[in-house]
């Protein structure tokens, strides 16, 4: 259901409090923040007025990372039969000007990628953070997933793509990564192209989300990162969490 319908249902439920848990692991002013604004507007229309808190992000949550690491290890082992794999930790891109204006999304994506590379336990892992789904004429953050796939394929490297900013399957994984980028890899000469599934309903990941909600309830603060408090450097003015 959309936010307005949900707000009406929540009002009928008459909760003591509401905890908002985004399915965006990394915070951005263009995704989580806009969704929270839509929710607040829906609550005004529904006249839902109860204490509300939000988990703003969980880019390095242990169980989120562990779920992705398991998929990465399996794909890397298969790809390694064709040579040394090039691993792409791919996230949805943003126009560069949004990041320069203080949005912490790219910084958080890079933290996710680094944590995942370490958690994989794969020795000498060859990995890079990349960004997909570019549209329009504005300059977007780089490197692009498409460009890195093209380069790796021309070098005859097996390719493993890990979607790190999506927790469920949708058009940007099932179409963009699985069809469009696979075609690019094949036509550019890659000996192997594998895409790691999103974490979906992985039991460990879901248990981690439940812990985030319980932690948010205990702390009682308006908006914090999953591990409590602010994780973003002060330069990122778009971060909604208060400085410690």
């Amino acid at each position: 259901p959309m936010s307005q319908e949900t707000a009406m249902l929540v009002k009928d439920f008459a909760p003591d409090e509401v905890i908002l848990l985004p399915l965006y692991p990394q915070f951005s002013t263009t995704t989580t923040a806009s969704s929270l604004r839509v929710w607040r507007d829906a609550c005004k229309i529904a006249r839902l007025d109860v204490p509300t808190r939000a988990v703003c992000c969980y880019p390095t949550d242990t169980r989120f990372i562990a779920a992705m690491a398991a998929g990465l290890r399996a794909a890397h082992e298969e790809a390694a039969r064709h040579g040394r794999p090039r691993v792409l930790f791919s996230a949805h891109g943003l126009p560069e000007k949004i990041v320069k204006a203080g949005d912490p999304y790219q910084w958080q994506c890079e933290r996710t990628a680094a944590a995942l590379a370490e958690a994989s336990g794969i020795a000498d892992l060859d990995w890079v953070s990349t960004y997909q789904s570019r549209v329009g004429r504005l300059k977007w953050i780089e490197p692009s997933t498409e460009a890195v796939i093209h380069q790796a394929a021309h070098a005859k490297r097996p390719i493993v793509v890990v979607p790190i900013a999506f927790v469920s399957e949708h058009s940007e994984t099932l179409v963009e990564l699985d069809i469009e980028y696979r075609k690019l890899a094949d036509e550019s000469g890659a000996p192997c192209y594998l895409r790691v599934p999103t974490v979906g309903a992985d039991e460990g990941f879901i248990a981690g989300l439940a812990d985030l909600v319980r932690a948010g309830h205990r702390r009682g603060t308006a908006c914090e990162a999953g591990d409590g408090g602010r994780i973003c450097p002060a330069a990122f003015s778009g971060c909604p969490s208060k400085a410690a």
Side-chain angles (χ1 to χ4, degrees):
M2 301 298 286
S3 295
Q4 189 167 336
E5 179 184 353
T6 302
M8 296 297 294
L9 293 172
V10 172
K11 182 181 180 182
D12 290 342
F13 180 75
D16 296 320
E17 66 176 337
V18 170
I19 297 178
L20 303 174
L21 176 67
L23 292 181
Y24 302 111
Q26 302 87 11
F27 177 88
S28 174
T29 56
T30 64
T31 53
T32 306
S34 61
S35 295
L36 295 179
R37 284 194 297 271
V38 170
W39 174 254
R40 288 193 293 268
D41 291 343
C43 288
K44 290 178 182 178
I45 295 172
R47 297 185 179 181
L48 173 63
D49 185 15
V50 295
T52 300
R53 305 180 182 99
V55 176
C56 79
C57 56
Y58 41 95
T60 58
D61 179 75
T62 302
R63 283 188 271 195
F64 168 53
I65 296 296
M68 288 193 293
L72 170 57
R73 284 190 290 270
H76 190 274
E77 181 178 359
E78 182 177 348
R81 299 170 186 166
H82 303 272
R84 187 186 179 203
R86 179 72 158 145
V87 176
L88 284 62
F89 295 136
S90 185
H92 194 290
L94 283 180
E96 189 178 78
K97 71 174 187 178
I98 293 176
V99 173
K100 288 184 175 180
D103 192 298
Y105 175 76
Q106 184 177 20
W107 182 84
Q108 290 197 6
C109 285
E110 291 172 355
R111 302 288 80 71
T112 299
L116 177 52
E118 181 177 0
S120 73
I122 300 171
D124 196 26
L125 183 69
D126 180 19
W127 65 273
V128 61
S129 293
T130 66
Y131 301 92
Q132 63 184 87
S133 310
R134 176 180 174 176
V135 294
R137 295 184 177 182
L138 292 175
K139 179 175 175 56
W140 280 44
I141 54 178
E142 297 178 330
S144 74
T145 302
E146 184 175 4
V148 176
I149 287 174
H150 183 74
Q151 293 164 2
H154 270 278
K156 305 303 180 184
R157 299 281 299 279
I159 298 168
V160 175
V161 179
V162 188
I164 62 169
F166 309 125
V167 300
S168 61
E169 304 292 353
H170 58 296
S171 62
E172 286 161 307
T173 57
L174 299 174
V175 177
E176 189 172 14
L177 293 181
D178 288 358
I179 298 176
E180 296 174 359
Y181 287 175
R182 179 183 299 278
K183 180 180 179 182
L184 171 65
D186 290 344
E187 292 178 348
S188 300
C192 175
Y193 176 91
L194 296 175
R195 198 269 292 179
V196 174
T198 57
V199 293
D202 175 87
E203 290 185 3
F205 171 61
I206 298 301
L209 293 183
D211 283 347
L212 292 176
V213 171
R214 283 189 284 266
H217 171 69
R218 288 194 304 271
R219 288 195 296 265
T221 50
C223 191
E224 285 191 343
D227 53 358
R230 181 185 175 109
I231 62 172
C232 299
F236 294 108
S237 58
C239 176
S241 297
K242 295 180 180 179

